[in-house]
Amino acid sequence: MKRSRFYSYLNLLILIQVAMSGVPGIKLKAAHYYYDGQKEYPEYDSVVGRKITLPCNITPPSQDDRVSLVLWYHGTSENPLYSVDARNEPVAQAKRVVHDEYASRATLNITIRTIYLIIEPVTEEDAGEYRCRVDYQIGRTTHRKLKVNIIVPPKEIYVRHGDQIFNDGSVGPIEEDSFLNLTCEATGGKPPPSVIWWHGSTLLDDTYWKVSEEIVANTLVIPYVHRNYSFRAFTCNASNTDSIIPASVTVELDLVSPKNPLVSGSAAEIMCQTNGSFPLAEVTWWMEGKKMKQYNKPLTDSTRITTSYITITPKIGDNGKTLVCQAKNPRLPESTLEDSWKLDVQYEPLLSLTLRTSDKNNVIQEGTDVYLECNINANPQFRELLWKFNGKILISNPVNGIVIQGPSLILRNVTRAQDGIYHCVADNVIGKGQSNDIHMAVSFAPVCETRQKTIYIVGRQEKVRIYCEVTAKPTDVVFRWTFNTSSETVDADSVNSTGTTSFAVFSPKCKYDYGIVYCWGENIIGIQKEPCVFNILPAARPDPVANCSVENQTQKSFTVECTAGDDGGLTQHFHLVAYNRKSNELLVNHTSLDLPIFKINGLPPGSPLRIFIYASNAQGNSISLVLETRTLLSAEKHTGNLPPALFSPLLAILLGLILVLVILAVIVLFTIKQRRTRMQQGVTLGSSNGPKSNDHLKTIVDQTETEEKCPDLIPFRSTIASTEFDDTFMSPSVIMTDMGTHQIYENLKIIGKQTYGYTKTHQEFIPHTQEKLVYNELAFPESKAHVLKRSNQTEYVHVDRLGNSSLRSCPGFENAEELDGYSVETPLMKSLKNERRWEKTERKRSVISTAV
């Protein structure tokens, strides 16, 4: 029986061991519980009293699905802290339910894809796990988990010196040249804070330790307190997060110096010595006739010197009082000696601020005068007095109604911009003092908020919600809406107002429903003077793009950049369509959602393209802008806008040669013109020389008179083609100059018809002031004079009215028929015809002549 029990116990022990150690060959792992693939939860940190925002993705799994329910949970609670019921309406307008514990702290911010849970202010109990559950109408329910860490700042920080605790101020009295320990302790905080000593921006000591679960300490050791350390500031910071300013305490060292001014609130040890008394003197301390009890027992040495110490902590009220030390021999009542010290207790300025107004009821509204008085008590006297408004220094500006007169601040005709917190600040050698804060609340009638949307672009039959926001104090505002300039008020069903915000719903049905909407607010101060104005404009198609340029052309790509036109009040997109100019094949159809900039790739090299660029919005398309370009051939490549090429050396040389040739041509033409002018002037001068010219001309004529009676008519030498000759013949005058033979021929007014009748009716080439044609000699150099000789008589062309030509006789040998007929217009024949004496004319000499 005992053996069976023994085996039973043995089996039980083996089973227990197996159960505790696990089944051989199977390794157990901790299970990871997660939602929708979350193996690690995102963590969010916040500080007690601050705000925390937790996101939750509510994007439906498909486009035809939507959110029906959103629930937020905290910790292990099965009751949601916040719920959104969107089963019967969109999420943005869905019914929201918040738990009572979070009613005043939790809000939701819903966007298209994300819903944010905002808790402000957070408490230490808000730390932990948060779950977001999202139900969809079609898709499966999703879950998200988040972890929230709440940081608790240190509750208190102080400096310990011996048994004394300092929360700022002076530490002491401390004797010069002494050893000093200052211990900084921070209590509370989660996680535990770091405690560090600083002097200004210099790190002194960053070694800290945990005294207990609630206290972290750091001891600053000063082995030798120098006199320069007097009132030197030492700062201890305690921080467990970078999100807020560290908690800090600043102390100054108050070194003992005899009869120096005392500092209010700082303990001072005062010594009194007496000697020579026997028996030993008794020492007592007195303040304003009252004996002080709290002083140390006198010390006596072998030289009969009695020393007494008293420690006092002077107050502001002790300033000016007299401290007396008395010593007397107990056996000689009349031997009392004393020493006194009138206390000079110094303290930082003490300030108090009061307010009064020009209104009997002290109600502050726009236009009221406000008077602020700063009462100052300081020792030593304060050095500077400053006024601050919302933390910023105020400067006297009487033009704007700000007047500072000594300890008074006067605000005339206050406005709502002067609503805020006021206080005064003064300082002296001990420190800086600040008065109490006064919040001056300026009441005013509603004023339209400047930063709000004022233009609404709406299509017909579309609904638009117009928001009207005003600034007012008090904020209980009643709104009134009107359309255009009429006095009709918008129906109450289409208006919703909350505090200083109101919105109205408009839906234009026709073109007359567009216009201007006005919104007024009213509170107990008054009615809004200037209404908020909103313009309802019809939506339109966008304007076409402009300033398009094609850049970065390659064999297969290019870039087009344009400037966008007006969007018509709606979101616009930009489109580029490119066709092959020859085959009209569509090559590119590209859309840009934001800017009219297109990068086109994958085109055939050398393709001629016609490009259409236009903008579009919900109202339609703009007018297309058309460009024509092509992709580059294999040997071409343009990148961007190429800069103009510089001149090559060869091109510069060529341009220089051309310039030289042009200059030479100008010089030659100028020289020829000058010679022609001089020669013409010579001919004119020759005719005016009188007998000398005639004699010279006669010599030439006499040499030829025996040879022939007819003057030679030298033919016009021309090498031009017939067409050019015809053109020349039709010109008003032709002047040919033969510089080699010094012969000049002039044909004046050679008219195409060349008949006598025509010549008689066109006498303009014969000077009307002359009765006879004047001839002048053409003088040749004597050594080179040549007389042209003809073996035959010169033949003149006879042109009749019918255009028939025949040969005529020489002048002087014509018959009557020839005289009455028609002749070519020449100077010689012209002269003979004018005299009407052809047959009587005696030719004495032949000349080569030209009309002057």
Side-chain angles (χ1 to χ4, degrees):
M1 189 67 167
K2 294 181 179 180
R3 183 174 296 177
S4 61
R5 289 183 178 178
F6 172 76
Y7 285 115
S8 299
Y9 290 136
L10 182 60
N11 292 331
L12 181 60
L13 290 174
I14 294 173
L15 291 175
I16 292 173
Q17 183 178 3
V18 172
M20 294 182 66
S21 61
V23 179
I26 300 178
K27 185 177 181 180
L28 300 179
K29 295 183 179 179
H32 293 275
Y33 296 97
Y34 57 89
Y35 293 86
D36 299 332
Q38 278 188 283
K39 295 183 179 180
E40 296 181 359
Y41 308 138
E43 295 188 11
Y44 297 86
D45 298 334
S46 185
V47 182
V48 171
R50 296 294 186 92
K51 178 177 70 173
I52 190 168
T53 302
L54 304 177
C56 180
N57 189 354
I58 61 172
T59 304
S62 60
Q63 295 183 353
D64 58 347
D65 199 0
R66 71 181 188 87
V67 176
S68 62
L69 187 64
V70 179
L71 301 174
W72 279 95
Y73 297 91
H74 178 209
T76 59
S77 175
E78 297 181 358
N79 296 323
L81 67 93
Y82 214 119
S83 61
V84 178
D85 188 356
R87 288 174 290 185
N88 298 322
E89 51 194 348
V91 177
Q93 290 84 31
K95 180 180 179 182
R96 305 182 184 185
V97 178
V98 61
H99 195 276
D100 295 339
E101 182 182 353
Y102 298 86
S104 61
R105 299 188 298 122
T107 58
L108 282 183
N109 185 6
I110 302 176
T111 63
I112 297 176
R113 299 180 178 275
T114 307
I115 186 170
Y116 297 90
L117 174 63
I118 304 172
I119 302 176
E120 182 181 13
V122 297
T123 63
E124 186 176 357
E125 291 73 22
D126 292 332
E129 181 182 271
Y130 285 77
R131 293 168 292 155
C132 174
R133 169 183 166 182
V134 183
D135 293 349
Y136 303 96
Q137 288 188 345
I138 300 175
R140 68 182 183 86
T141 299
T142 61
H143 299 267
R144 297 288 186 274
K145 273 192 176 183
L146 306 93
K147 185 178 180 181
V148 173
N149 300 318
I150 302 300
I151 299 173
V152 181
K155 295 180 180 178
E156 186 181 10
I157 183 172
Y158 52 87
V159 174
R160 185 185 297 276
H161 174 54
D163 295 334
Q164 294 179 314
I165 294 178
F166 301 89
N167 294 316
D168 281 334
S170 299
V171 176
I174 299 172
E175 296 181 3
E176 295 178 3
D177 304 333
S178 64
F179 181 86
L180 178 63
N181 283 340
L182 296 177
T183 301
C184 179
E185 295 181 355
T187 62
K190 182 181 179 182
S194 58
V195 180
I196 301 175
W197 277 102
W198 297 84
H199 171 56
S201 60
T202 304
L203 175 65
L204 299 179
D205 192 345
D206 60 352
T207 57
Y208 55 90
W209 69 93
K210 290 185 67 175
V211 178
S212 64
E213 291 296 325
E214 292 293 328
I215 300 176
V216 178
N218 185 341
T219 298
L220 176 65
V221 178
I222 303 177
Y224 180 81
V225 179
H226 194 270
R227 180 177 299 176
N228 295 335
Y229 288 174
S230 180
F231 292 103
R232 177 176 291 187
F234 296 90
T235 302
C236 178
N237 290 340
S239 174
N240 56 0
T241 178
D242 294 334
S243 301
I244 60 174
I245 300 175
S248 65
V249 57
T250 301
V251 295
E252 296 177 344
L253 302 186
D254 182 11
L255 303 185
V256 174
S257 182
K259 288 193 178 182
N260 281 342
L262 303 179
V263 178
S264 173
S266 298
E269 188 178 61
I270 302 174
M271 180 186 67
C272 181
Q273 283 186 339
T274 180
N275 59 22
S277 175
F278 183 83
L280 297 176
E282 293 180 354
V283 179
T284 57
W285 294 86
W286 301 78
M287 175 81 75
E288 291 294 311
K290 294 181 181 180
K291 186 177 181 180
M292 303 180 67
K293 299 180 179 180
Q294 299 178 353
Y295 55 88
N296 299 330
K297 184 178 179 179
L299 302 176
T300 304
D301 57 14
S302 58
T303 60
R304 296 184 181 181
I305 296 177
T306 301
T307 304
S308 177
Y309 295 91
I310 186 173
T311 301
I312 64 173
T313 303
K315 300 178 182 179
I316 296 176
D318 294 333
N319 183 42
K321 292 182 179 181
T322 302
L323 178 65
V324 178
C325 173
Q326 287 185 354
K328 70 176 180 177
N329 190 314
R331 294 182 183 181
L332 301 172
E334 301 298 330
S335 63
T336 302
L337 297 176
E338 67 179 28
D339 186 15
S340 64
W341 181 15
K342 186 176 182 179
L343 299 181
D344 180 13
V345 181
Q346 297 183 348
Y347 48 90
E348 63 186 19
L350 302 177
L351 299 91
S352 62
L353 186 61
T354 59
L355 180 147
R356 60 186 180 87
T357 68
S358 59
D359 186 79
K360 296 181 180 179
N361 300 322
N362 267 352
V363 176
I364 303 176
Q365 61 183 18
E366 288 188 317
T368 305
D369 292 343
V370 177
Y371 306 89
L372 295 170
E373 298 290 338
C374 185
N375 303 308
I376 307 173
N377 179 17
N379 181 35
Q381 184 66 24
F382 70 91
R383 295 177 296 188
E384 184 180 17
L385 173 64
L386 297 176
W387 288 92
K388 290 190 175 182
F389 167 59
N390 289 337
K392 297 182 178 179
I393 297 176
L394 274 178
I395 299 175
S396 183
N397 188 353
V399 176
N400 293 330
I402 302 175
V403 180
I404 297 178
Q405 295 178 348
S408 301
L409 171 64
I410 304 173
L411 303 175
R412 303 189 184 279
N413 296 321
V414 296
T415 63
R416 62 181 180 276
Q418 294 172 306
D419 186 303
I421 298 175
Y422 293 81
H423 64 256
C424 54
V425 178
D427 68 334
N428 58 11
V429 295
I430 302 302
K432 182 183 294 185
Q434 178 177 313
S435 71
N436 55 300
D437 292 338
I438 289 183
H439 186 189
M440 188 177 74
V442 181
S443 300
F444 56 92
V447 178
C448 189
E449 183 67 43
T450 56
R451 298 182 180 180
Q452 61 179 326
K453 184 177 180 180
T454 58
I455 298 176
Y456 291 82
I457 309 298
V458 191
R460 296 185 184 181
Q461 307 300 328
E462 293 181 357
K463 290 186 177 181
V464 61
R465 179 178 291 185
I466 301 177
Y467 284 89
C468 178
E469 297 184 17
V470 298
T471 303
K473 185 173 288 189
T475 58
D476 188 9
V477 180
V478 177
F479 288 89
R480 180 169 63 92
W481 293 76
T482 60
F483 181 72
N484 284 343
T485 58
S486 66
S487 60
E488 296 180 2
T489 303
V490 178
D491 296 336
D493 294 340
S494 61
V495 176
N496 192 341
S497 302
T498 304
T500 58
T501 303
S502 177
F503 69 85
V505 178
F506 287 87
S507 180
K509 302 297 189 300
C510 61
K511 64 179 180 180
Y512 302 106
D513 292 339
Y514 295 96
I516 302 176
V517 175
Y518 300 95
C519 167
W520 284 271
E522 180 181 2
N523 62 3
I524 60 174
I525 302 300
I527 302 176
Q528 182 176 340
K529 293 182 179 180
E530 296 293 334
C532 301
V533 181
F534 306 94
N535 291 276
I536 303 179
L537 303 176
R541 294 189 302 170
D543 289 344
V545 297
N547 301 327
C548 292
S549 62
V550 180
E551 301 179 354
N552 300 329
Q553 288 179 272
T554 64
Q555 300 176 21
K556 297 183 179 181
S557 66
F558 59 86
T559 300
V560 178
E561 295 187 5
C562 303
T563 302
D566 185 75
D567 58 7
L570 301 172
T571 301
Q572 65 175 340
H573 303 311
F574 303 94
H575 310 272
L576 182 146
V577 180
Y579 294 88
N580 188 301
R581 289 206 307 265
K582 296 182 178 179
S583 62
N584 289 330
E585 177 187 0
L586 176 63
L587 300 178
V588 178
N589 189 350
H590 190 69
T591 299
S592 176
L593 300 180
D594 47 4
L595 296 173
I597 300 176
F598 305 91
K599 174 65 177 178
I600 309 302
N601 298 301
L603 296 172
S607 298
L609 302 174
R610 181 174 288 110
I611 302 173
F612 299 86
I613 305 172
Y614 62 94
S616 67
N617 61 13
Q619 294 296 318
N621 300 336
S622 70
I623 299 174
S624 298
L625 186 143
V626 182
L627 299 175
E628 290 189 355
T629 185
R630 67 178 181 88
T631 54
L632 303 182
L633 298 175
S634 298
E636 295 178 300
K637 186 174 182 181
H638 295 170
T639 301
N641 293 325
L642 295 178
L646 299 176
F647 286 109
S648 64
L650 183 60
L651 182 59
I653 293 173
L654 181 60
L655 292 177
L657 292 175
I658 293 175
L659 182 61
V660 170
L661 293 176
V662 170
I663 294 174
L664 291 176
V666 171
I667 294 174
V668 170
L669 292 176
F670 180 79
T671 303
I672 294 174
K673 183 176 180 180
Q674 290 290 80
R675 289 185 177 182
R676 178 184 298 173
T677 303
R678 288 196 298 269
M679 293 180 68
Q680 291 177 351
Q681 291 176 352
V683 172
T684 304
L685 292 173
S687 63
S688 63
N689 285 337
K692 182 178 180 179
S693 297
N694 293 334
D695 294 341
H696 183 72
L697 182 61
K698 183 177 181 180
T699 303
I700 299 174
V701 173
D702 291 340
Q703 295 177 3
T704 60
E705 187 176 2
T706 58
E707 306 226 352
E708 58 182 358
K709 295 181 179 181
C710 292
D712 287 338
L713 181 61
I714 301 174
F716 173 65
R717 296 188 303 170
S718 177
T719 58
I720 58 176
S722 60
T723 56
E724 295 177 346
F725 178 78
D726 294 338
D727 295 338
T728 305
F729 226 74
M730 294 298 294
S731 63
S733 65
V734 178
I735 301 174
M736 295 296 296
T737 303
D738 189 341
M739 301 302 297
T741 60
H742 298 279
Q743 301 175 13
I744 299 176
Y745 306 94
E746 288 189 13
N747 298 324
L748 301 176
K749 295 290 184 177
I750 302 176
I751 308 303
K753 293 185 180 182
Q754 298 295 321
T755 61
Y756 181 76
Y758 183 86
T759 303
K760 292 293 290 181
T761 59
H762 294 76
Q763 297 290 331
E764 63 273 10
F765 65 93
I766 301 176
H768 295 285
T769 59
Q770 294 177 304
E771 294 182 358
K772 295 183 180 181
L773 185 64
V774 180
Y775 294 87
N776 195 4
E777 70 173 343
L778 178 62
F780 298 96
E782 296 182 0
S783 60
K784 296 183 180 181
H786 298 279
V787 179
L788 300 179
K789 298 181 179 181
R790 299 295 183 194
S791 58
N792 298 324
Q793 293 181 346
T794 300
E795 297 181 351
Y796 289 84
V797 177
H798 172 258
V799 182
D800 59 11
R801 285 193 177 95
L802 300 178
N804 298 321
S805 300
S806 61
L807 296 178
R808 290 180 59 104
S809 301
C810 292
F813 297 93
E814 303 92 334
N815 52 33
E817 183 180 356
E818 291 176 341
L819 288 173
D820 294 334
Y822 307 98
S823 172
V824 176
E825 194 77 78
T826 65
L828 181 59
M829 296 176 69
K830 177 70 175 179
S831 177
L832 295 176
K833 288 177 65 177
N834 288 337
E835 294 178 358
R836 295 293 184 182
R837 295 182 298 170
W838 286 82
E839 69 280 1
K840 297 180 181 182
T841 300
E842 180 181 1
R843 285 183 66 85
K844 297 181 179 182
R845 55 188 178 271
S846 61
V847 296
I848 301 173
S849 62
T850 181
V852 178

